[in-house]
Amino acid sequence: MYKLHFILATIVELMAKKTLSVFIILYFLPHLYALRLTDPFTKYSQLNLPPGPVGPDSVALNPSNKGPYVGVSDGRILKYNGREFEDFAWISPNRSKALCDGVRNLTMGRTCGRTLGFSFDPQTGDLYVVGAYGGFYRVGPKGGLAKKIASGVNNVPFKFLNGIDFDPYRRVVYFTDTSSKYNFTDVLMGNPLSSKDSTGRLIEYDTRTGKLRVLLDKLHLPTGPAASGDGRYVMYGSFGTHQIFKYYFKGEPQKVLDLPGYPLKIKRSPESGLFWVPVNVVVRQKPLLIHSFGYKFNSTGGVILAKSFAAQYSGVQVNIVQEYRSNLGRRRLYVGSINVAFVGVYES
Ligand SMILES: *[C@@H]1O[C@H](CO)[C@@H](O)[C@H](O)[C@H]1NC(C)=O
Ligand SMILES: *[C@@H]1O[C@H](CO)[C@@H](O)[C@H](O)[C@H]1NC(C)=O
Ligand SMILES: *[C@@H]1O[C@H](CO)[C@@H](O)[C@H](O)[C@H]1NC(C)=O
Ligand SMILES: *[C@@H]1O[C@H](CO)[C@@H](O)[C@H](O)[C@H]1NC(C)=O
């Protein structure tokens, strides 16, 4: 199964380079067809952002399955109320709606704030939030200005926080500081030095004691962690090396999976022991063209499904894939991307 997905990604890459003949594509078609049959998320719809901001990089439902909540380019966390998106929260005390609403570029990042990840405490409904340019925050279920919990740990300031997960079993929060040297703008704008960086950290915050702890350091651009859900381990991605690791809170982290592209935030599936990760295969460097997938995988690296998002996310990256079950047992995927102005919803 995994080989097939790899082949698929390679085909896309070759097609873009126009080196693949029609015959070879026809040869592979039955495999692609078989792949489609295993994908239950066939119905697509989308929730458009209000005019202005772009880039819902993080997407989550609250503990009562309301939302989704999304973090967007102008620094707001928006909540979908069933009809439209409304303001929910923000992290910068200096943010003004007049100055910031609708901002798409990065120049206003410090004033307007930008969140690249959040995760709900299922018991209290509090939302834990990480800022793209540093800062770790919490905001209550009613929203508003988030309260800053910390700006750094072990005397090293947070530089580029990009993913977070609340561990319901241990009641701690895990988050990744992608680099201690390079910020979000550097990596997004493709600063070539940033790709070799290995100053990333995996950090834990204990909600009962309020203590922060560095679990792992010297990581190679780590991306959004996910708790196992049973308190045994935490998964994280290694952006630069296209790998996924799990860490049992002692010893060396174990490699779980090698991927054909860049992994971003990992999220737990409602099915125990299963996870989703967006995988972005670079098809062409200039202009940057990406084929994005969502990989559903298990704790030992078995790939259950590799879903292509190319039809709806043509040429751009996907940052998050969150699976939820509705109260009626319906399966639903919420997909977020920094490059678009909507949230994709795939249903079974
Ligand atoms: C960034 O966006 C703001 C507001 O939309 C605008 O005033 C500013 O000129 C933009 N900066 C750049 C470099 O595009
Ligand atoms: C907010 O504004 C104050 C006063 O202008 C400034 O000192 C502070 O650095 C600003 N904070 C941020 C996060 O931009
Ligand atoms: C990101 O880092 C670059 C230098 O590497 C700096 O010029 C830029 O101001 C930083 N951006 C923010 C928002 O801190
Ligand atoms: C993960 O998936 C692989 C391939 O389907 C399977 O062989 C393996 O037993 C699974 N691991 C777990 C822990 O379920």
Side-chain angles (χ1 to χ4, degrees):
M1 192 64 164
Y2 175 63
K3 270 208 183 95
L4 271 186
H5 309 322
F6 202 93
I7 290 169
L8 178 59
T10 313
I11 290 175
V12 173
E13 219 161 316
L14 290 176
M15 277 168 71
K17 288 179 187 154
K18 294 207 175 74
T19 52
L20 195 65
S21 80
V22 158
F23 297 105
I24 298 175
I25 295 172
L26 286 179
Y27 173 78
F28 280 115
L29 261 186
H31 299 297
L32 298 182
Y33 187 65
L35 210 61
R36 273 176 63 109
L37 289 182
T38 64
D39 176 6
F41 302 99
T42 48
K43 284 194 205 115
Y44 177 76
S45 60
Q46 68 186 42
L47 306 173
N48 293 322
L49 296 183
V54 293
D57 177 276
S58 35
V59 178
L61 297 186
N62 74 12
S64 8
N65 261 356
K66 293 279 176 0
Y69 294 67
V70 297
V72 295
S73 61
D74 68 9
R76 284 180 287 176
I77 296 175
L78 305 172
K79 174 192 179 178
Y80 190 72
N81 62 19
R83 293 181 314 279
E84 59 189 2
F85 283 98
E86 59 185 33
D87 289 10
F88 175 69
W90 60 98
I91 57 173
S92 170
N94 293 2
R95 189 182 195 285
S96 86
K97 286 185 72 66
L99 204 62
C100 296
D101 278 12
V103 163
R104 296 179 170 197
N105 59 36
L106 302 166
T107 51
M108 305 287 282
R110 292 234 171 254
T111 311
C112 301
R114 171 67 158 126
T115 69
L116 289 183
F118 45 68
S119 185
F120 282 100
D121 175 341
Q123 275 181 25
T124 63
D126 284 343
L127 187 65
Y128 288 89
V129 183
V130 288
Y133 297 100
F136 166 55
Y137 306 81
R138 178 177 47 228
V139 63
K142 295 207 171 89
L145 176 63
K147 184 179 181 303
K148 190 185 265 189
I149 300 172
S151 310
V153 59
N154 292 359
N155 296 319
V156 181
F158 300 141
K159 184 92 172 173
F160 178 3
L161 302 183
N162 98 324
I164 180 165
D165 193 29
F166 190 94
D167 183 339
Y169 189 91
R170 299 181 64 220
R171 294 198 56 75
V172 304
V173 178
Y174 308 111
F175 57 96
T176 40
D177 192 0
T178 300
S179 169
S180 311
K181 269 194 194 150
Y182 299 99
N183 64 31
F184 177 48
T185 317
D186 293 323
V187 176
L188 203 71
M189 293 305 174
N191 177 338
L193 292 175
S194 68
S195 66
K196 300 236 179 319
D197 184 61
S198 58
T199 59
R201 300 183 290 175
L202 176 66
I203 296 149
E204 175 190 278
Y205 171 75
D206 189 324
T207 61
R208 286 167 294 200
T209 63
K211 286 217 172 82
L212 284 159
R213 189 158 72 104
V214 176
L215 295 179
L216 294 169
D217 61 5
K218 302 193 179 72
L219 300 180
H220 197 91
L221 305 178
T223 58
S228 59
D230 59 7
R232 290 197 306 136
Y233 59 86
V234 55
M235 292 266 185
Y236 64 91
S238 180
F239 184 79
T241 61
H242 300 186
Q243 290 166 325
I244 290 175
F245 291 88
K246 64 180 167 182
Y247 180 57
Y248 284 96
F249 307 111
K250 57 173 193 242
E252 288 291 307
Q254 298 176 7
K255 190 179 80 181
V256 172
L257 200 50
D258 283 300
L259 296 163
Y262 293 94
L264 289 164
K265 295 180 225 307
I266 304 173
K267 288 289 160 188
R268 227 172 15 260
S269 148
E271 288 157 88
S272 117
L274 298 184
F275 301 85
W276 279 96
V277 65
V279 177
N280 295 289
V281 179
V282 172
V283 174
R284 204 172 60 214
Q285 289 289 350
K286 277 182 187 161
L288 191 63
L289 192 65
I290 288 169
H291 187 116
S292 52
F293 296 85
Y295 274 48
K296 189 175 189 177
F297 64 99
N298 70 18
S299 61
T300 52
V303 176
I304 281 89
L305 175 64
K307 182 171 176 55
S308 168
F309 296 124
Q312 293 78 28
Y313 293 84
S314 173
V316 301
Q317 70 176 295
V318 156
N319 296 70
I320 192 167
V321 182
Q322 280 265 20
E323 182 181 346
Y324 289 98
R325 286 279 157 94
S326 75
N327 299 336
L328 298 171
R330 200 99 182 259
R331 284 139 66 106
R332 194 176 279 171
L333 285 187
Y334 289 98
V335 174
S337 161
I338 206 161
N339 299 115
V340 302
F342 59 84
V343 174
V345 186
Y346 298 83
E347 272 176 286
S348 59

